[in-house]
Amino acid sequence: MPVLTGAAERPEWRFFAALSKADRPLATAWWIVLVLRGVLPAAFAIATGVVIAEVQQHRSTTPGLAAVGVTFILVQVLAPIHQAISQNLGQRVSAWLYDRLTDATVAPAGIAHLEDPTLTDDLTVAREFDAGMTGPPMFLNVEFAATGLLDLITGVASAAVLFGYTWWAPLLLVAGWGATHWLLRESSVWRDRNTDEVRQAQREADYVYRLAVDPPAAKELRLFGLVGWTVERFVARRRQLFDLQYRATRLRERPVLWCLLVVLMANAVVFVALALDAVDGHLTLGRVVVFAQAAVGASLIAFGGLNWVLDGAAAPVVAVLKLEKAMAPAGELSRGRTPAAGWPAREIRFDSVTFAYPHAPAQVLSGIDLTIPAGSSLAIVGVNGAGKTTLAKLLCRLYDPTGGRIEVDGIDLRDVEVDSWRRQVTAVFQDFIRFELSLRDNVAPEGAPDDVVRRAVAHAGAEGLADLDTPLAKAYAGGTDLSGGQWQRVALARALCAVELGARLVLLDEPTAQLDVRGEAAIFERVLAATRDVTTVLVSHRFSTVRHADRICVVEHGRVVELGSHDELMAHGGRYRTMFDLQARRFQATQDEEGQLYDLLT
Ligand SMILES: Nc1ncnc2c1ncn2[C@@H]1O[C@H](COP(=O)(O)OP(=O)(O)OP(=O)(O)O)[C@@H](O)[C@H]1O
Ligand SMILES: [Mg+2]
C-alpha cells in the first residue's frame, strides 16, 4: 500500500494522527462536534426554505420555525464547546509532544545524540514549538485547525445541498473553489521553513533569549556590557524570521487573479441558472432561498485557513517525531547482557584504547594501555585537554572506544549490561550537576537511609550547609544557594553515598578544585578513608591530592607516558617530576610571601 503509506507520512495526516495519540476520547469528541457544526449551516439554510414554503402554502410554520430555532441554537452552543475541546486537546498534544521529546533525549544509553550538531540543531528548533517563535502554540493550532476544517466541511455540505437543484451546480462550485487550493498552494504557506537560514535565526534568537531570561548569565551580561547586544540580537533574529516568513508566505498576484477568474465564472454560471429557473417558475421561492444560500456557503471551500494552519501545526509534530526516530540510533550503545554486580573484583584494563568523539575529527586517545587493580587508587594527571575526563566518561560507558577495548574482570565493557555496570560506578564529574532539589535528594538521588546520607555529608565536609530537606536553590520556598566549593562538597557527598550503597568504582574528576586549601587536605583524607575498599580513579591538577594515590599515570597526546607510585615517578625524574616541582615551587613562594605554613607538599 505505498499510496496509503505515502499519505500517512504527509505532515497534515501526522498532525491529525497526533490528535488521537495524544487523547483518543477527546479527539473523537472534537471530530464529532466538528462534523455536526459543519453540517448545521446547510441544515439551517434548508430550514429557512421550509419556513418560506410553509408561509407561501399557508401551512403551519411551527415545524419550520422549530427546525430553524434548533439549528440556530446548536450553532451557537456548539461553537464555545468546540473551542474548549480544541484548547484542551491542543494542550494534550503539546504535552504528548513534550513527552516524545523527553523520551527521545533520555532513552538512549549513550549521550552522543546530544552532541550531534544536526540533532542538537533539530532539538533546539523542535523544543520551541510551543513558544510561538515560528508559529502559534499548539492549543491555538488545534483551534485554528478546527476553524479551517469547519469551513471545509460547511462548504462541502452546502455544495451537497445543491444536488437538490441540479447535479452539475455543486460539482462546478466545488471545482471552482477547490481550484484555489491548487492555484494558491505555493502562496501563503511557509514550505521552506527548514532551511539553514531559518534554523540558524531560530537558534540564535533562542540562545540570546535564554541568556537574557535565565539567571546564570546575569552577571556576565551586565559586567561585560552585553545587555544591549542581547536585546539587539534577539530583535534582529526575530525580525529576520518574520521577514523570511513574510517573503515565503505572501500572496502572489498572478495566482490570485486566476483564482478570481475561475471562482467568478463558476459562481456566475450557477447564480444565473438559479435566477433563470426562478424567473421561469421552475423553482419555488423557498428552494431559491435554500440554493442561493447553499451556493454562497460553498465558498467556504476556498483556500485559506486550513492550509495555513496545517502547514504551521504539522511542522512541530513532524520535527518532534523525526527527532525521536533519529536520536535513538545516534545515542544507543550495544546493550550487553553480562550483569556486573560486584565488579570490578579483579581489575579494569584499557587495551590499546583509541577514541575520537563522534562528529569531531581529532583523536583524543591514541592507544591507552593501562591496568587498574580492583581496590587500588589511580591518579591521572596531564595538561588541559589531555583526555583525562574522556577516560572517565569511557569508564562510565557514556561512549564506547573507537578502537581497542576496556575490560572489567576480563569482560569487554560492551558485553556488560549497561545499567548494571553503571550501578557499580559513581563519579564526581568536573562539571557536576547542581540539582534544584533538597540536600537529601542531591546526595542520594535514588534514595538512601538518612543516616547514610548524613554520614556521606559529614565525610564530604558538607555538614552544617543546610538541613537535609532544604532545597538547594534560591527560587524555592525556604531554599538556599551554595558557594562553588560548598556545591563541590555536595557532589562529593553524592559519590560517597553511592559508595556506601554499593558502588565499586569511584571516578573523581577534579573533586576538590573549588575547595579551599585547608578544606581540601582534610576532606581528601576522609574521602580516601571512605573509598579505601573500592577502586578509585582520581583526576587532579593538585599534586597534594594526587600523591596520595597508589599509582599515578601521566597522560600526554592521548597516551600513558608515565606510570608508577609518587615516589617511583619522582625518582624517575620525568614529566611528573617536572610538573610536581613546578607546583611545589609556586606553593613555596606563597609560603615565603605570606609567612604562613601550608603543610601541603610534605
Ligand atoms: N563532547 C566532546 N566532543 C568533542 N570533543 C570533545 C568533547 N569533550 C572533550 N572534547 C575534546 O577532547 C579533548 C580531551 O578533553 P578532556 O575533557 O578529556 O580533557 P581533560 O584532560 O579532562 O582536560 P582538563 O584538564 O581541561 O579537564 C579536548 O581536546 C576536547 O576539546
Ligand atoms: Mg577534564
Side-chain angles (χ1 to χ4, degrees):
M1 290 283 192
V3 176
L4 280 185
T5 325
E9 289 297 309
R10 286 187 61 82
E12 302 84 348
W13 294 114
R14 299 183 83 175
F15 169 71
F16 289 127
L19 300 184
S20 299
K21 284 180 185 155
D23 192 322
R24 190 174 289 277
L26 204 60
T28 311
W30 187 81
W31 282 110
I32 291 172
V33 178
L34 179 68
V35 173
L36 261 179
R37 289 183 72 198
V39 298
L40 278 175
F44 184 79
I46 294 172
T48 54
V50 169
V51 173
I52 292 171
E54 285 167 348
V55 172
Q56 276 192 318
Q57 293 163 14
H58 305 292
R59 286 188 282 126
S60 158
T61 53
T62 313
L65 283 177
V68 167
V70 169
T71 42
F72 179 77
I73 288 171
L74 276 177
V75 167
Q76 301 302 318
V77 168
L78 287 182
I81 291 179
H82 204 206
Q83 192 183 16
I85 295 177
S86 292
Q87 296 209 348
N88 210 315
L89 185 57
Q91 275 154 1
R92 274 152 212 259
V93 172
S94 56
W96 180 76
L97 288 175
Y98 280 131
D99 277 357
R100 305 256 60 72
L101 262 188
T102 336
D103 271 2
T105 45
V106 299
I111 57 173
H113 61 296
L114 297 173
E115 294 176 344
D116 176 329
T118 320
L119 290 182
T120 46
D121 213 20
D122 285 348
L123 180 62
T124 316
V125 175
R127 73 171 177 221
E128 295 310 319
F129 73 85
D130 235 14
M133 284 272 210
T134 49
M138 203 40 91
F139 78 94
L140 283 182
N141 274 329
V142 176
E143 202 179 319
F144 293 162
T147 314
L149 275 175
L150 183 63
D151 283 354
L152 187 67
I153 297 172
T154 308
V156 172
S158 300
V161 172
L162 282 174
F163 278 113
Y165 168 51
T166 169
W167 64 269
W168 56 264
L171 298 184
L172 189 63
L173 285 182
V174 169
W177 287 114
T180 59
H181 288 257
W182 185 71
L183 286 165
L184 294 176
R185 70 191 189 286
E186 292 309 324
S187 302
S188 314
V189 169
W190 195 5
R191 289 203 187 283
D192 52 356
R193 62 170 71 231
N194 231 349
T195 59
D196 284 344
E197 197 180 8
V198 173
R199 287 153 63 100
Q200 185 161 345
Q202 207 170 344
R203 196 177 46 221
E204 288 178 9
D206 174 58
Y207 178 63
V208 283
Y209 176 72
R210 279 169 195 276
L211 276 185
V213 301
D214 289 347
K219 296 190 294 294
E220 275 87 349
L221 283 191
R222 283 157 182 77
L223 194 63
F224 293 101
L226 292 173
V227 172
W229 173 84
T230 316
V231 175
E232 277 159 30
R233 199 170 167 92
F234 180 70
V235 170
R237 293 301 176 267
R238 285 302 299 265
R239 188 165 291 149
Q240 187 185 355
L241 281 171
F242 288 136
D243 287 348
L244 287 167
Q245 185 165 14
Y246 174 73
R247 254 184 280 146
T249 61
R250 136 189 109 81
L251 282 171
R252 312 284 189 286
E253 287 111 36
R254 199 187 294 257
V256 171
L257 283 178
W258 277 110
C259 283
L260 279 177
L261 203 66
V262 170
V263 164
L264 210 66
M265 300 275 284
N267 278 280
V269 171
V270 172
F271 278 97
V272 168
L274 269 176
L276 289 178
D277 282 336
V279 172
D280 289 354
H282 292 313
L283 284 177
T284 61
L285 179 62
R287 289 172 78 82
V288 171
V289 169
V290 173
F291 295 142
Q293 284 185 76
V296 171
S299 65
L300 289 174
I301 294 172
F303 177 97
L306 191 58
N307 296 278
W308 290 313
V309 167
L310 286 186
D311 175 58
V317 176
V318 172
V320 170
L321 297 183
K322 180 179 139 206
L323 203 60
E324 190 181 31
K325 229 182 200 164
M327 279 197 156
E332 206 38 90
L333 301 169
S334 65
R335 301 235 184 189
R337 289 166 175 274
T338 317
W343 289 6
R346 212 170 67 234
E347 63 177 27
I348 296 171
R349 199 160 77 87
F350 286 78
D351 181 6
S352 309
V353 170
T354 60
F355 182 71
Y357 280 95
H359 313 286
Q363 193 168 57
V364 178
L365 305 178
S366 38
I368 295 273
D369 287 300
L370 181 66
T371 303
I372 312 168
S376 73
S377 57
L378 173 82
I380 306 177
V381 296
V383 295
N384 292 138
K388 306 179 295 295
T389 299
T390 306
L391 276 173
K393 287 196 271 188
L394 289 180
L395 278 173
C396 297
R397 214 177 157 220
L398 295 170
Y399 309 90
D400 282 328
T402 28
R405 45 199 261 143
I406 301 174
E407 285 176 6
V408 182
D409 293 353
I411 307 284
D412 191 325
L413 209 46
R414 291 185 188 87
D415 299 329
V416 178
E417 212 248 305
V418 181
D419 291 336
S420 105
W421 169 244
R422 287 194 184 142
R423 279 195 292 277
Q424 313 307 310
V425 185
T426 186
V428 175
F429 289 112
Q430 200 169 9
D431 55 351
F432 60 84
I433 182 84
R434 302 164 181 214
F435 290 114
E436 286 188 7
L437 297 171
S438 66
L439 176 60
R440 177 188 288 102
D441 292 340
N442 260 286
V443 173
E446 289 187 295
D450 271 5
D451 56 326
V452 175
V453 176
R454 287 214 167 82
R455 225 171 5 252
V457 166
H459 280 149
E463 69 273 61
L465 292 184
D467 279 351
L468 290 191
D469 291 315
T470 307
L472 298 188
K474 265 272 187 252
Y476 297 83
T480 178
D481 206 351
L482 302 180
S483 73
Q486 289 169 335
W487 265 114
Q488 194 150 41
R489 290 165 196 246
V490 172
L492 258 172
R494 182 155 60 227
L496 295 180
C497 182
V499 170
E500 194 153 338
L501 293 177
R504 312 276 311 154
L505 171 63
V506 189
L507 307 170
L508 304 172
D509 194 353
E510 298 283 0
T512 53
Q514 301 187 49
L515 298 190
D516 58 77
V517 200
R518 286 185 191 284
E520 181 190 11
I523 286 167
F524 205 71
E525 287 288 315
R526 280 184 274 169
V527 170
L528 279 184
T531 57
R532 189 163 294 132
D533 299 329
V534 298
T535 313
T536 309
V537 175
L538 163 74
V539 177
S540 181
H541 292 293
R542 294 203 186 178
F543 288 87
S544 50
T545 48
V546 165
R547 59 172 301 169
H548 293 292
D550 296 333
R551 289 187 317 152
I552 299 155
C553 79
V554 181
V555 177
E556 214 171 70
H557 305 305
R559 287 175 198 278
V560 175
V561 293
E562 283 175 29
L563 176 67
S565 68
H566 171 76
D567 293 337
E568 285 164 1
L569 293 183
M570 289 302 281
H572 174 65
R575 295 287 296 133
Y576 180 80
R577 172 86 199 227
T578 315
M579 289 192 273
F580 186 91
D581 286 346
L582 208 64
Q583 205 169 83
R585 271 207 300 279
R586 223 177 61 219
F587 276 108
Q588 192 62 48
T590 313
Q591 179 189 323
D592 291 348
E593 266 170 34
E594 299 186 2
Q596 290 181 8
L597 182 65
Y598 286 100
D599 183 20
L600 287 169
L601 297 167
T602 50

